[in-house]
Amino acid sequence: MPDESSPEYRLPEDHWPLPELSTVEPHPHPPMSAYVRMQRSDDFQGLRRSFRTFAFPVVVAVLAWYFLYVLLSTFAEEFMGAPLVGTLTNGMIIGLIQFPTTWFATWLYMRRTATVLDPQAAELRQRVEAEVGA
């Protein structure tokens, strides 16, 4: 219950905010040392390496592609303004390609996460929680 100065104090018990949270039974949590051990383990380091070797190159590639577009727009005005198809210019086409490029990179990341990273992370979590029977 809140203190008497709180506006919620005058609410009837059945109107108490978030009543389901007040009945949650405590459950055991792994000790901090279990998390530290897991962080230092080869399996966890492999998971991090797997994430980094995929995510960083994809982010760098997408950002490089985007900044190339910005640089071309700034310094290659003739090229970007030249018609490519009808009245569509190179700049418009390259700008529109930015959208599917971003979507594709996001799809790749989500696929990689679902098939590689999430199963590894779930296994590591189960090992940590098994120490306390959570």
Side-chain angles (χ1 to χ4, degrees):
M1 284 300 279
D3 63 16
E4 292 182 24
S5 64
S6 172
E8 290 90 8
Y9 181 76
R10 291 180 172 65
L11 288 175
E13 283 293 325
D14 61 332
H15 287 82
W16 181 244
L18 304 174
E20 67 276 2
L21 293 180
S22 62
T23 60
V24 173
E25 295 182 23
H27 61 281
H29 292 281
M32 182 62 72
S33 60
Y35 292 108
V36 171
R37 277 193 310 279
M38 182 57 66
Q39 183 181 17
R40 292 178 181 157
S41 73
D42 290 338
D43 291 335
F44 183 80
Q45 294 306 316
L47 174 63
R48 289 185 59 176
R49 190 171 26 264
S50 180
F51 170 75
R52 285 191 308 262
T53 57
F54 176 77
F56 290 155
V58 170
V59 168
V60 167
V62 169
L63 286 175
W65 171 238
Y66 172 73
F67 285 121
L68 175 66
Y69 171 70
V70 171
L71 290 172
L72 286 173
S73 296
T74 304
F75 298 110
E77 293 177 29
E78 277 188 37
F79 170 75
M80 296 296 271
L84 185 65
V85 178
T87 58
L88 292 176
T89 64
N90 289 328
M92 292 172 76
I93 298 295
I94 294 171
L96 290 172
I97 292 173
Q98 297 292 321
F99 291 103
T101 301
T102 303
W103 294 330
F104 181 69
T106 303
W107 176 80
L108 276 178
Y109 176 77
M110 291 178 64
R111 183 173 154 226
R112 171 79 174 192
T113 299
T115 59
V116 176
L117 302 177
D118 285 350
Q120 289 177 1
E123 180 187 334
L124 295 176
R125 180 181 178 154
Q126 286 175 352
R127 276 199 260 158
V128 168
E129 289 178 347
E131 288 188 25
V132 292

